[in-house]
Amino acid sequence: MSKFKKKKGGELPPVNTASLPDIVFMLLFFFMVVTVLRNNELMIKNELPKANEVEKLKKDRSVFIYAGKPSKQYQAKFGTEGKIQIGDKFTDISSLQFALTEAREKLRPELQDRVVVALKVDKETNTGLVTDIKEELRELNMVKIIYIAAPGSELDTK
């Protein structure tokens, strides 16, 4: 009698699934931590003008100002004139300084002096509204302004 027995079949052992729930929960927590949710609801019509040379903007030190006519769902409440939106609420020229100061304070302390204002202006917006915004920015000494545009050329016809 031999001490070692020969296996009768070449079958593979079953796969151990004991650690499968741990892996699933680890992936679930990973995606919950990494996912960035949109924090602003756009309340205006924002069809950006097109530009040939477009660069990516670092969002860690920027404050976004949206300008344009209210979208259709907000026109009954706010009218059809051009509006300014910072964050999730409309603001007017008289309270723009307060809204910008509040938005600046939300940034990290070391970036508050070097804030960049990103203007996302609808291409059909009145130029006077943009001029008023720029004057208020000058009074707050926020002179670094970037105009956000869509890639492409206005001359291209599709």
Side-chain angles (χ1 to χ4, degrees), residues 83-110:
K83 296 284 184 188
I84 302 168
Q85 178 184 348
I86 298 177
D88 276 342
K89 49 191 165 188
F90 283 129
T91 185
D92 56 354
I93 293 296
S94 60
S95 61
L96 187 62
Q97 286 187 359
F98 175 74
L100 286 171
T101 305
E102 186 179 343
R104 180 193 284 181
E105 290 173 356
K106 290 181 182 177
L107 297 174
R108 295 191 323 228
E110 63 269 10

Side-chain angles (χ1 to χ4, degrees), residues 14 41 49 79 85 127 139 145 158:
E41 178 188 349
Q85 178 184 348
T127 317
E139 288 181 20
I145 301 173
K158 292 184 179 182

Side-chain angles (χ1 to χ4, degrees), residues 25-148:
F25 282 114
M26 204 166 36
L27 285 172
L28 176 70
F29 288 129
F30 173 76
F31 286 116
M32 284 173 53
V33 169
V34 173
T35 302
V36 177
L37 300 175
R38 185 176 181 166
N39 55 0
N40 291 337
E41 178 188 349
L42 199 56
M43 298 165 58
I44 62 167
K45 177 185 165 202
N46 199 352
E47 187 177 333
L48 297 175
K50 296 183 180 178
N52 289 336
E53 296 188 25
V54 180
E55 295 180 22
K56 191 81 172 161
L57 174 66
K58 293 182 180 178
K59 293 185 179 182
D60 62 342
R61 64 180 204 155
S62 56
V63 173
F64 287 89
I65 298 176
Y66 302 95
K69 295 179 181 178
S71 57
K72 290 186 179 189
Q73 60 190 15
Y74 296 103
Q75 283 182 357
K77 187 175 181 181
F78 297 106
T80 58
E81 291 295 317
K83 296 284 184 188
I84 302 168
Q85 178 184 348
I86 298 177
D88 276 342
K89 49 191 165 188
F90 283 129
T91 185
D92 56 354
I93 293 296
S94 60
S95 61
L96 187 62
Q97 286 187 359
F98 175 74
L100 286 171
T101 305
E102 186 179 343
R104 180 193 284 181
E105 290 173 356
K106 290 181 182 177
L107 297 174
R108 295 191 323 228
E110 63 269 10
L111 296 176
Q112 288 180 1
D113 294 334
R114 294 178 280 146
V115 66
V116 176
V117 177
L119 290 175
K120 285 186 127 179
V121 181
D122 184 51
K123 67 181 182 180
E124 296 177 5
T125 301
N126 186 357
T127 317
L129 182 63
V130 178
T131 305
D132 292 342
I133 293 171
K134 287 171 51 176
E135 287 176 5
E136 294 293 324
L137 290 172
R138 261 187 233 120
E139 288 181 20
L140 284 173
N141 198 22
M142 298 173 86
V143 292
K144 294 180 185 174
I145 301 173
I146 296 175
Y147 292 96
I148 306 292

